[in-house]
Amino acid sequence: MTHPDSTPEPGSTPDPGSPSVAAGTPDPRHIQLVVLDMAGTTVADGGLVEQAFDVAARRLGVEPGSPDHAEKLAYVRATMGESKISVFRHLFGDEAAAQRANTAFEAAYGELVDGGRIAPVPGAREAIEALRAAGRTVVLSTGFARVTQDAILGALGWQDLVPLTLCPADAGGRGRPYPDMVLTALLRTRATDSVQRIAVAGDTSYDMLSGRRAGASVVAGVLTGAHDRGQLVSAGATHVLGSVAELPALLGVV
């Protein structure tokens, strides 16, 4: 098994259950601020994004089973982790159509959440509590709108789990892959004096890009969501974990 502070030898294949580590990564035990994605990373939603997309697409006249629907769904899957309004702007072109699609998507996702269709990723709450107990500041971030983020937090009883939660609107409107939410977490919490003492964890390539662009020294991909190991590593993951439950050990919290 590869030790979290070591680098695999050239040509070696990391154990799927252990983190893969980029060369030159600073000691993860020095991390002070941890920014965690929600859906797919700390929250298991069972494919609700695609179900909510179907509702939004039908609202704008895209019929399920059509080539247009298949093409748009493929884009949604490829851009998991990106701000949803940005996705709809790409898919539907003009701002008015994008806003209608986004409103329909958020309403449909919220109804699915209210119907009990989400749950914590196993060990996620415990990992967050362990990190906080060890003095790390933890922030939850999402590509969803605030109303949807609040619905998820409420459904899980996580309203007071962390001191700060962020959506794209909280960071000036730009979600992932921009670094804005990670840097907003730093500015609002003042948890550290260096971006190198930030850890970012998420399940998509957009999470990885956001973390790397923000300068975080630990950008951990997790295998509980949308993208696989290859996609996460290609987007700049410094570590790949089976799930967020492994993050405390990586950061020296046991």
Side-chain angles (χ1 to χ4, degrees), residues 6-101:
S6 66
T7 302
E9 295 180 3
S12 66
T13 301
D15 184 328
S18 66
S20 26
V21 186
T25 302
D27 191 335
R29 293 172 294 182
H30 296 164
I31 294 298
Q32 295 175 309
L33 172 62
V34 182
V35 182
L36 302 177
D37 172 51
M38 293 182 65
T41 302
T42 55
V43 180
D45 69 1
L48 298 192
V49 168
E50 293 188 16
Q51 294 179 45
F53 165 75
D54 283 341
V55 172
R58 282 197 298 270
R59 183 71 57 87
L60 273 78
V62 180
E63 289 299 322
S66 68
D68 187 29
H69 182 278
E71 182 179 345
K72 286 180 167 57
L73 179 58
Y75 185 81
V76 168
R77 289 170 175 162
T79 56
M80 288 288 189
E82 186 178 359
S83 169
K84 292 300 174 285
I85 184 60
S86 296
V87 172
F88 287 123
R89 284 177 180 137
H90 175 89
L91 290 178
F92 296 105
D94 70 275
E95 185 66 17
Q99 290 292 344
R100 289 198 304 275

Side-chain angles (χ1 to χ4, degrees), residues 8-247:
E9 295 180 3
S12 66
T13 301
D15 184 328
S18 66
S20 26
V21 186
T25 302
D27 191 335
R29 293 172 294 182
H30 296 164
I31 294 298
Q32 295 175 309
L33 172 62
V34 182
V35 182
L36 302 177
D37 172 51
M38 293 182 65
T41 302
T42 55
V43 180
D45 69 1
L48 298 192
V49 168
E50 293 188 16
Q51 294 179 45
F53 165 75
D54 283 341
V55 172
R58 282 197 298 270
R59 183 71 57 87
L60 273 78
V62 180
E63 289 299 322
S66 68
D68 187 29
H69 182 278
E71 182 179 345
K72 286 180 167 57
L73 179 58
Y75 185 81
V76 168
R77 289 170 175 162
T79 56
M80 288 288 189
E82 186 178 359
S83 169
K84 292 300 174 285
I85 184 60
S86 296
V87 172
F88 287 123
R89 284 177 180 137
H90 175 89
L91 290 178
F92 296 105
D94 70 275
E95 185 66 17
Q99 290 292 344
R100 289 198 304 275
N102 192 61
T103 298
F105 172 88
E106 298 286 356
Y109 195 96
E111 290 175 4
L112 292 166
V113 168
D114 290 342
R117 299 285 301 279
I118 62 168
V121 166
R125 183 183 185 113
E126 293 80 0
I128 293 168
E129 291 174 338
L131 290 166
R132 294 195 65 195
R136 281 29 171 217
T137 299
V138 181
V139 173
L140 291 173
S141 65
T142 184
F144 294 132
R146 168 56 61 182
V147 63
T148 304
Q149 185 177 38
D150 285 346
I152 295 170
L153 294 169
L156 298 177
W158 282 13
Q159 297 95 323
D160 300 317
L161 183 59
V162 298
L164 179 66
T165 62
L166 294 172
C167 67
D170 299 319
R174 296 199 311 183
R176 307 179 191 106
Y178 295 100
D180 301 26
M181 285 197 290
V182 178
L183 297 176
T184 297
L186 170 62
L187 292 170
R188 290 204 185 178
T189 64
R190 299 185 178 183
T192 183
D193 60 1
S194 172
V195 292
Q196 291 193 334
R197 293 195 171 192
I198 299 175
V200 172
D203 66 299
T204 72
S205 60
Y206 284 79
D207 295 300
M208 305 300 96
L209 289 168
S210 178
R212 293 303 292 261
R213 290 172 178 177
S217 64
V218 172
V219 181
V222 298
L223 299 175
T224 51
H227 292 166
D228 61 25
R229 176 183 293 272
Q231 291 170 295
L232 296 169
V233 171
S234 294
T238 60
H239 303 75
V240 177
L241 307 175
S243 83
V244 73
E246 299 173 17
L247 189 60

